[in-house]
Each structure stands twice: as C-alpha cells, then as structure tokens.
Amino acid sequence: MNLEVIILAAGQGTRMRSPLPKVLHKVADKSLLEHVIIAARQLSPSNIHVVVGHGSQQVKAELAAHSLNWVDQQEQLGTGHAVLQALPAVQPGSTVLILYGDVPLIDSGSLKALVAATGNGNPALLTAKVAVPQGYGRVIRDVSGAVLGVVEDKDANPQERLVDEINTGVMAASTRDLAHYLPLVGNQNKQGEYYLPDILGLAVAEGRVVGAVLAGSEMDILGVNDRLQLSAVEREYQRRQAHNLLRQGVSVADPERLDIRGSLACGDNVSIDINVIFEGKVELGDGVSIGPNCVLRNVTVGAGAAIHAMSHLEDAIVGDHCSVGPFARLRVGTKLANGSRIGNFVETKKASIGAGSKVNHLSYIGDSSLGAEVNIGAGTITCNYDGVNKHQTILGDGVFVGSNSTLVAPLEVGDQGFVAAGSTITKPVATEQLAVGRGKQRNIKGWSRPNKTNNDKG
C-alpha cells in the first residue's frame, strides 16, 4: 500500500485574535502543524501534501525544514474543496490519509488503525465519543451499527443531536474514491461549504461499507480554535510528558507544573521539582536533582549533579556531581568539570570550570578557563569586554582569587597563584605568586563626620 497524507491547514483562525496563522500557534514550542506532521511521519507516507491559504507564505517559511508538497487553496470553500485542490498531486493508486493542521495531539496508533481499516478498499472514518458533542458533526449509523454518514451540527435534527459519537474529520480513502465522490459533493447546507464527510453518504448510497475507528481519547482529536483550547491542549501535552517520565521512574513533584518544550532524556533516580521548564535537547544523568523554578535549555547534566532553585542554564554542560545555584545563570558555552560548584547569583558565559573548582557567590566569569581546584571569592568579575572585542582569562590549577577582585582580560594567573581580596589585576601572575592590586589606604586622624544643615531635607 502506498500511503500519502493530506493535511488541511488553510484556515485563518479568527477566534485566535492574532495575525499569526492558526496552525503556527505553538504547543510545547512546536507549531500545531508541526505536531501533525510529526504524527504523520510515523506512518512512513511517501508524500505529505499541506493545503494552505491564509498566511500561506508565513506557514511555508516556518515549516521550510520539512519536506512537504504545498498546495494553495485560494478560496476557503470547505474541507471537501480543500482536498480536491490537493488531489492532482496524489498518485492514482495511493491510499490517502486526511488530517487537520490544528489537531496537534492526534495519535499515530489510531491513524495506523484507520489506514488499516481501508484494507478492504472502502473509505474509513476516525470517530470519537465525547461528553459534549455540540458543535461536532454526528456519525449516523443504522440499526446494525453500520455507518450511514455524517450530519453536521448545524444541519442535524433534534434526534441526531443526541448522538454522542462525532466525526473527527480524519479519514482515509483511496485516490480513486476521492476523485469519484468529491466532485459530487454539494454545498446545500447552512455554511454553504463543500464538506469532506459527505463522500461517506455517497459511498453508502452506492452500497459501499464505510469503516469506522474509535479514537482512544477525546483529547486526541481536539482541534484548536481559540486560546482556551490552545491552553487545554498545551496542558494535556505536558501532562502526558510528565506521566511518561513517572512511568520511567523519574520523580516528578507535580505533573501539572512541568513543561517540556523539546526532548528530555533521564537516567535512573532523577528528581524534578515544581515549575521546571526544559527546552531544546536536555539530558539528565543518573541521580540528578532539579530544584524548583529552573529553566534548562540545550543542557547536559552529569550523574549526581544538583541544580538548585531558580537557576537558568542554556547551552551548557554540567559534569558529574556538580552543584549549581540557587539563583545561578549558566550561559552559552559554559562547561563544568566533575565536582565543580557554581553558587548563588553567579553568572558564567563561555567559561570552562575545572574539576573541583568553586565560584560560590555573586560573581561573573566570562570567556574564561579555570583549572582544577580554583577558588573564586565573592564579588569577583572577569572584565572580558573592551568595548569592541572579547578577551580570555586563564587561571591555572589551585588558583585562589580573593573576594571583590576584578580580573582585567587578557590575563593569565599561573598554577597556585593567589590574588588578594579587593584587587584589580591587569598583568599576568606567575606560578605561586601573590598579586595585590589595591589603592593605598590612608587613615586620617582628627576627621569629623559632616553635619546636616537646615537646608538638607535628605
């Protein structure tokens, strides 16, 4: 069987109240349309055709990394009309799976079952049982349970509105059937549109049997039409991610307060506290603990490391048994060797921190290389930028930098070098040398504290 997919993504989405095309709104940092494309790819189709209309150039640009056949629908005249625009690009002998670009949680397992249901040559429909079917087309069956067709909500009579099995819009059919039935679909309905599900009634009228596959969950088929539905889909997606982690043995403090906006791989005995956000590609080794309110973007964390509360890590590598935070920021290019420590209110950028080294308090370390067992005192900064270029600071093994020191790059301090507290260091420090760069202190005898005048309102 040659499978091809048509994704309908031409709608404007006026209820979103946004200039952004509806299918480009995001769930877990991927557009609605990209989620659908990913689900479709799991069925290994020979081609994916995407029908676009409103904001088509923007949609095409956003999904440029995907290999897709774009089809323009100049007038949005309904789902049947949209499929008809894509049909000339579909191979004559294919089975066609029709999806919607605003249904991001569609399950690939249900789609595989739906495609399998067309094995007898008949079209098949994905249906769902919902608690509140209002607004959805109803699946109408005869007394034997065979599908007779779909009636749209606005066109249904009172008895048909009592039906709780709905049409999801997702269906599979042969190219031959689509080419035969779609031109016969009329628009004699309250919307004046050409409805794709009408082909099912036409098929039944010719004595064909229409297959039906029931979706596993109501959320699987929820389309996004407004911000409320977008929020509901986002939370359901995140809930599923959290539940998957729990099944893998990861400790998640509260599944409702976790966001994974990319990929997350966890080792054994990992602990994640509340309000943690993972973005891009994140890998956590065995025994890692992540404190509350942390953000990790494109980060690898080694075994036994602890990321404490309120820390922000981006494009960084954290070695085994490191400690980061609380209130730490590791920026792009930071690498922490095993056993190193980054403490509270410390920021690093393009910094290599050696094994066992410590930057514990209120410091900025940028464009720097620190050897093993280096100690950076509170309030230390590396002055790496001269207004035009960035410069390197290199500290050898065992270097001790006293509190409130300023290291003006380019600068090198040799192994076991010592920088006295309160120093501004502008010249190289050799191995085992002590560097003192302070202004001379003067103590003035007989000094009197100034008194406030009557004019001083401070």
Side-chain angles (χ1 to χ4, degrees), residues 179-220:
H180 173 59
Y181 292 119
L182 280 173
L184 303 178
V185 172
N187 65 343
Q188 292 74 44
N189 50 64
K190 292 185 179 180
Q191 293 291 95
E193 293 185 350
Y194 298 91
Y195 292 140
L196 175 63
D198 284 358
I199 70 170
L200 303 177
L202 294 172
V204 171
E206 291 185 358
R208 306 282 297 282
V209 176
V210 173
V213 173
L214 188 65
S217 163
E218 182 175 341
M219 291 300 298
D220 289 352

Side-chain angles (χ1 to χ4, degrees), residues 186-368:
N187 65 343
Q188 292 74 44
N189 50 64
K190 292 185 179 180
Q191 293 291 95
E193 293 185 350
Y194 298 91
Y195 292 140
L196 175 63
D198 284 358
I199 70 170
L200 303 177
L202 294 172
V204 171
E206 291 185 358
R208 306 282 297 282
V209 176
V210 173
V213 173
L214 188 65
S217 163
E218 182 175 341
M219 291 300 298
D220 289 352
I221 53 86
L222 181 63
V224 173
N225 295 298
D226 57 31
R227 303 282 184 166
L228 183 61
Q229 290 176 328
L230 183 66
S231 175
V233 166
E234 174 74 41
R235 191 41 41 203
E236 175 64 17
Y237 180 91
Q238 297 300 344
R239 187 179 297 115
R240 292 180 181 187
Q241 301 302 303
H243 289 177
N244 286 338
L245 290 176
L246 289 165
R247 293 186 188 100
Q248 295 167 23
V250 177
S251 176
V252 178
D254 185 350
E256 297 298 317
R257 290 186 285 176
L258 172 69
D259 283 82
I260 302 172
R261 302 169 184 172
S263 65
L264 173 63
C266 295
D268 294 335
N269 198 33
V270 169
S271 174
I272 302 171
D273 212 323
I274 63 170
N275 299 329
V276 176
I277 298 173
F278 298 102
E279 299 180 341
K281 183 179 180 181
V282 178
E283 298 179 8
L284 307 180
D286 294 345
V288 167
S289 66
I290 309 295
N293 304 301
C294 291
V295 178
L296 283 74
R297 179 185 299 122
N298 297 321
V299 173
T300 299
V301 182
I307 312 299
H308 299 288
M310 308 291 182
S311 294
H312 192 293
L313 289 69
E314 179 179 2
D315 291 294
I317 298 174
V318 178
D320 296 348
H321 304 291
C322 290
S323 177
V324 176
F327 295 96
R329 185 184 183 196
L330 307 189
R331 291 169 58 193
V332 174
T334 295
K335 297 180 181 179
L336 306 186
N338 295 347
S340 56
R341 299 175 63 87
I342 300 294
N344 50 291
F345 302 104
V346 172
E347 179 178 344
T348 64
K349 189 270 296 184
K350 289 186 180 178
S352 175
I353 312 297
S357 293
K358 297 178 290 185
V359 188
N360 276 333
H361 320 282
L362 302 156
S363 296
Y364 170 70
I365 305 297
D367 295 283
S368 300

